[in-house]
Each structure stands twice: as structure tokens, then as C-alpha cells.
Amino acid sequence: MHYSHTVQQAVGFLLGLTDEEAAGRIRRRIGLPRPATEDPRVRRRRLNQVWAWPSNVPSSLALWILQEDDPELNAVVWRYIGLDAGLRRALARGIPFGPGRTEPVPVDRRLPVEEPEIPDAYVHHGLVGALREATSMAAGRAAASMVLTPADWRTVTEADAERALPGYARWALSVRPDCPPALRAQFGSHPKFTHRVRQAGVLDGPAEYATDHGPAVRVLDVLAMGAMMFPARIGEAEDSLRPLVQQHLGDREEAWAVLAQLIGTFHGTAPELVVTAGAIA
């Protein structure tokens, strides 16, 4: 049976959640090719050159990659965050995103990395002043793009706690994937607000992406890149799906065969796919 590259990646990711012996046997049973062995450094360079960013991925995916503080990975992300002035500004300045990291991240000078123009409101009123002056969404986004470092986020948190920032500024900061969760909760905890933030692509982590988003084949294809693109966070997604894979698929070859047949056209989430394939088998 012929499988598209996307399906091979997606099924391969789930097979990686089983033991190696079972995975090999299942691959032979369903006719799924073994993944090609490739030097990680060579693959990284190839990804940087040719990988097309998947469609309909959450903006938080960019943050998980940026948290690696890897100049080559940053080069991949740069092409995706063209409209996020805050992230572009941070990358241009070599600001680290990894938890606890303080050393500047080298910027690949081969890239056309140009920092967005500094807003006039920031020049005249400073960070908090520019946020408080925001009377439109454009002004809110411009002011929010100057929030870069952990110290900046603390300053914003304290200013908002003292006196709530305008709604435009709050929203522009809320949908920044690097906005601290505590500050986002401070901005709003109503279910409608949380839903809008999720719709904007901001997630709690890879586990939420793995379990609550679809279609399954696209989500799993992205997660299959996780070991290379965001290795520090991919374990969260694996841990969220592993119990379901073990319970509903296990080492049953027929269940995996059903999954391989369904996955290309299945519109539900990865957990729904796994449960459905197991039930049919």
C-alpha cells in the first residue's frame, strides 16, 4: 500500500509510542516503510532550507521552537512570524526564550533580519506609557511589540495590577505566544476570553495540541517533527497520547492497519482516531 509522506510521518509518530519490536512488526504488517536514517545535522540544514511551514498550526508552535534558542531553528521560525513584530524584534536582538536562559542567542547574519520600527508612543512615553496610550488595535500591537524580556513582562504585570491596561493592549499581549500564563490569567479568566485566546492559536502546551486539535494526520505530522524542532517540549505530547495508544492499539496489528486506512481522511483529533481504530478492529 502506498502512503503519503504526511501519513508516514503521522503513523510513525504514534508507532514511536510503542516498543521497538512491536513497531517493526506492525510496520511490516501494514507495509509502512521504515524512516530513513539521516544525520540530525544534515536534516536540520535541510529543514532550514526547504521545510514549508504547515498550515493551520497554532502560534504557540513558534514559541516551543524558539525555546530551543537555536539560531538555525530561529531561521525557520523567522519566515513564519512575519506579522508578529514582538517576536521578530526579540529574534533580531538575540533575546533567549528558553526558561532560565539569559545569554544572548547568536543571530544568523545570512538572514535578512531587520528589527521592526520602534513605535513613536514608546519613544515618547516609555513601555507602560505606550501601552496605556493605545486607543486602537494597531497601537496596542505596536506597543506590545516592545515587551521583550522577562523584566519587561514583570513591568507590564505590575502596571496592569496597579491599574488595568486598555483593552487593546491587553488583547495584543494576551495573544503573544510568549505572554506569561499568569499575566494572561490576570487579563481575563472568563471562558469566552479563554476561548478567544485558544482560537488565536495560544495553547497551554504540546499536550493540548496533541489531544484537542485536528485533523489528526496534520497534528501528528507536526508532532513527528517535534524531536528536531522542539525536543524540550515534545515529551508533553508523547505522554498525553501514549496511554491511549497502549490501551486502544497496543501491539494489535489489525488495529494499526485500520488506523493506517483511516488516518488520511479522518477529521477528528488524534485521541478520537486512536479510539475509533481500536474499536473498529
Side-chain angles (χ1 to χ4, degrees):
M1 181 175 180
H2 173 73
Y3 297 101
S4 69
H5 177 72
T6 298
V7 168
Q8 290 184 41
Q9 289 273 97
V11 178
F13 176 78
L14 291 177
L15 281 172
L17 305 181
T18 64
D19 68 83
E20 188 173 350
E21 186 278 330
R25 174 166 47 79
I26 292 165
R27 280 183 178 275
R28 291 189 296 273
R29 164 64 175 80
I30 66 177
L32 187 72
R34 293 187 62 83
T37 302
E38 188 174 30
D39 185 288
R41 291 171 296 181
V42 173
R43 191 177 184 210
R44 177 73 62 80
R45 287 195 294 270
R46 182 170 61 82
L47 284 173
N48 187 33
Q49 294 169 356
V50 304
W51 188 52
W53 196 273
S55 60
N56 300 320
V57 297
S59 59
S60 286
L61 176 62
L63 175 63
W64 307 334
I65 298 175
L66 291 174
Q67 287 175 335
E68 296 299 317
D69 290 326
D70 183 312
E72 288 186 324
L73 290 178
N74 288 351
V76 175
V77 176
W78 179 265
R79 297 194 294 271
Y80 171 67
I81 59 173
L83 299 179
D84 194 317
L87 294 183
R88 287 175 71 89
R89 197 185 304 281
L91 282 180
R93 296 187 184 188
I95 293 175
F97 285 85
R101 292 177 182 153
T102 57
E103 291 296 318
V105 179
V107 178
D108 190 336
R109 296 304 176 185
R110 294 171 298 176
L111 296 177
V113 179
E114 296 179 2
E115 180 176 333
E117 184 177 350
I118 296 177
D120 289 338
Y122 178 83
V123 175
H124 296 299
H125 304 291
L127 178 58
V128 174
L131 290 168
R132 294 203 184 283
E133 288 287 318
T135 56
S136 68
M137 185 55 69
R141 290 196 183 102
S145 76
M146 298 306 300
V147 182
L148 305 174
T149 67
D152 292 338
W153 287 109
R154 287 194 295 271
T155 296
V156 171
T157 300
E158 293 168 1
D160 181 74
E162 180 181 345
R163 178 162 59 93
L165 295 171
Y168 293 114
R170 281 184 153 211
W171 179 248
L173 292 166
S174 295
V175 295
R176 280 272 299 271
D178 54 334
C179 177
L183 176 58
R184 190 178 290 116
Q186 181 173 304
F187 286 152
S189 57
H190 191 279
K192 288 185 178 179
F193 174 80
T194 302
H195 177 66
R196 288 182 63 206
V197 170
R198 294 292 183 269
Q199 284 187 314
V202 178
L203 308 179
D204 290 334
E208 181 180 353
Y209 180 56
T211 56
D212 293 347
H213 284 249
V217 67
R218 168 53 66 194
V219 170
L220 295 170
D221 181 36
V222 172
L223 293 177
M225 306 293 291
M228 182 155 296
M229 304 297 284
F230 46 100
R233 304 295 303 273
I234 188 59
E236 300 170 37
E238 293 172 338
D239 291 344
S240 68
L241 292 175
R242 185 176 289 106
L244 284 170
V245 170
Q246 293 175 345
Q247 178 182 353
H248 295 278
L249 301 177
D251 60 357
R252 294 187 297 147
E253 297 175 9
E254 289 303 319
W256 285 96
V258 171
L259 182 137
Q261 291 176 335
L262 290 177
I263 191 170
T265 56
F266 193 84
H267 294 289
T269 64
E272 290 169 344
L273 170 67
V274 170
V275 172
T276 299
I280 292 175

